[in-house]
């Protein structure tokens, strides 16, 4: 069984699709760096890092929001970006079946805007509540001339715990097992360099109104800023029922980059995208 979230998507440009390479993101270079790091630190490569502790593993993950932050600056929507930050780490950790313990954040900016920072932190608190994770602390760094005025960067760090005999690692996945996908709230986070390039070439504005949404005014910017779904509670609820063998968190590298990470060698997936 494989639980999936939404991933960074692609779009069209005069009938010619755009790739991450077109958006100045070299996925192959990232893969090569991971390969080189793995030589120096064997054992890495999973969605979360495992540290043995008695009869359990501590499971740790760290991530940022990526260039979705650029859309936060453009739209002025800062109260949900913290949810994205938490989601990127906790959704990785829960793939091992781990229960979340705590989260820490890093907020860096050139000149601290207290009101703006408070909005961001409120999103982080919200994300921690959604994942039953304690916000243990963090770091606020004010670095003049390092960031553009009004901009900031975020990083997050989370730790969970799972019994060694309950670890979900995909090793028992076999031919014929069923792949299950969880719905996303949109394109989530990570992968927005491509999303932003598609947007730039589409001729659309972040202020353009979208149809539907119960008749309430709803812009393209609001749709793109929809926070990443935090899957922790629903995934743990399904794990308790039994039968879960592997879980993949789908982010920037989408289906093709993330699902194979939990498969034993030689297995692949048949995905019914219209189901």
């Amino acid at each position: 069984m494989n639980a999936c979230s939404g991933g960074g998507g692609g779009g069209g440009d005069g009938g010619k699709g755009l790739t991450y390479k077109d958006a100045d993101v070299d996925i192959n270079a990232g893969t090569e760096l991971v390969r080189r790091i793995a030589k120096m630190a064997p054992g890495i490569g999973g969605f979360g890092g495992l540290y043995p502790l008695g009869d359990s593993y501590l499971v740790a993950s760290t991530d940022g929001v990526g260039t979705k932050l650029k859309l936060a600056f453009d739209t002025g929507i800062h109260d949900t970006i913290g949810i994205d930050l938490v989601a990127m780490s906790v959704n990785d950790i829960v793939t091992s079946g781990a229960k979340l313990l705590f989260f820490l954040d890093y907020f860096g900016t050139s000149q601290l805007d207290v009101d703006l920072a408070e909005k961001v932190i409120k999103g982080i608190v919200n994300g921690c509540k959604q994942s039953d994770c304690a916000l243990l602390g963090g770091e606020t760094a004010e670095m003049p001339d390092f960031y553009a005025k009004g901009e900031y960067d975020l990083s997050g760090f989370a730790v969970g715990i799972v019994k060694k005999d309950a670890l979900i690692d995909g090793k028992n996945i076999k031919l014929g097992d069923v792949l299950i996908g969880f719905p996303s709230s949109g394109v989530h986070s990570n992968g927005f360099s491509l999303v932003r390039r598609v947007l730039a070439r589409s001729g659309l504005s972040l202020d353009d109104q979208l149809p539907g949404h119960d008749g309430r005014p709803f812009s393209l910017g609001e749709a793109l800023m929809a926070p990443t779904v935090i899957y922790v509670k629903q995934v743990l609820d399904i794990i308790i029922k039994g039968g879960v063998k592997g879980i993949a968190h789908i982010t920037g590298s989408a289906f093709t980059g993330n699902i194979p990470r939990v498969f034993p060698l030689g297995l692949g997936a048949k995905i019914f995208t219209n189901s």
Side-chain angles (χ1 to χ4, degrees):
M1 182 180 292
N2 186 298
C4 307
S5 75
D13 179 31
K16 181 178 179 292
L18 291 175
T19 66
Y20 277 116
K21 191 78 171 179
D22 295 325
D24 298 325
V25 177
D26 190 341
I27 292 178
N28 291 332
T31 302
E32 172 62 16
L33 178 59
V34 171
R35 188 188 68 80
R36 294 187 188 187
I37 294 173
K39 286 184 176 181
M40 297 181 280
I44 72 164
F47 288 99
L50 302 178
Y51 184 84
L53 184 70
D55 64 350
S56 299
Y57 285 112
L58 291 179
V59 188
S61 180
T62 181
D63 209 338
V65 175
T67 61
K68 188 173 184 177
L69 284 174
K70 286 287 189 182
L71 293 188
F73 306 149
D74 291 341
T75 60
I77 300 173
H78 300 281
D79 57 339
T80 57
I81 202 74
I83 298 175
D84 291 292
L85 179 67
V86 175
M88 288 299 98
S89 286
V90 300
N91 284 344
D92 274 354
I93 286 174
V94 80
T95 62
S96 63
K99 180 184 183 298
L100 270 298
L101 295 175
F102 57 83
F103 183 87
L104 297 98
D105 70 272
Y106 170 87
F107 180 96
T109 186
S110 282
Q111 187 172 13
L112 184 61
D113 181 330
V114 176
D115 292 335
L116 186 152
E118 182 184 24
K119 290 179 182 178
V120 175
I121 301 301
K122 280 183 178 179
I124 294 173
V125 170
N126 187 341
C128 288
K129 287 180 178 177
Q130 289 185 39
S131 51
D132 285 335
C133 183
L135 180 57
L136 201 60
E139 170 71 6
T140 301
E142 195 170 13
M143 299 183 287
D145 305 323
F146 197 78
Y147 299 100
K149 184 178 180 181
E151 296 189 357
Y152 56 86
D153 196 15
L154 293 173
S155 295
F157 315 86
V159 175
I161 191 166
V162 63
K163 294 288 186 180
K164 288 180 178 178
D165 59 5
L167 178 70
I168 295 174
D169 57 12
K171 290 181 179 178
N172 295 323
I173 294 175
K174 66 180 188 302
L175 185 67
D177 284 343
V178 177
L179 188 74
I180 295 178
F182 287 171
S184 72
S185 56
V187 289
H188 284 184
S189 191
N190 292 169
F192 266 79
S193 294
L194 179 55
V195 172
R196 289 170 45 248
R197 189 63 59 91
V198 171
L199 177 64
R201 296 193 183 187
S202 71
L204 296 174
S205 164
L206 291 173
D207 296 324
D208 285 347
Q209 297 299 301
L210 300 179
H213 221 72
D214 299 325
R216 182 180 71 83
F218 190 67
S219 69
L220 177 57
E222 289 177 290
L224 290 174
M225 285 301 295
T228 303
V229 176
I230 290 177
Y231 294 97
V232 171
K233 292 180 181 178
Q234 55 184 307
V235 168
L236 292 179
D237 284 347
I238 286 184
I239 289 173
I240 289 173
K241 296 175 182 177
V244 179
K245 297 181 177 180
I247 306 173
H249 177 205
I250 312 303
T251 55
S253 297
F255 287 164
T256 55
N258 288 292
I259 291 179
R261 293 171 65 181
V262 299
F263 284 168
L265 190 65
L267 289 183
K270 185 174 184 180
I271 301 172
F272 299 95
T273 57
N274 61 344
S275 64

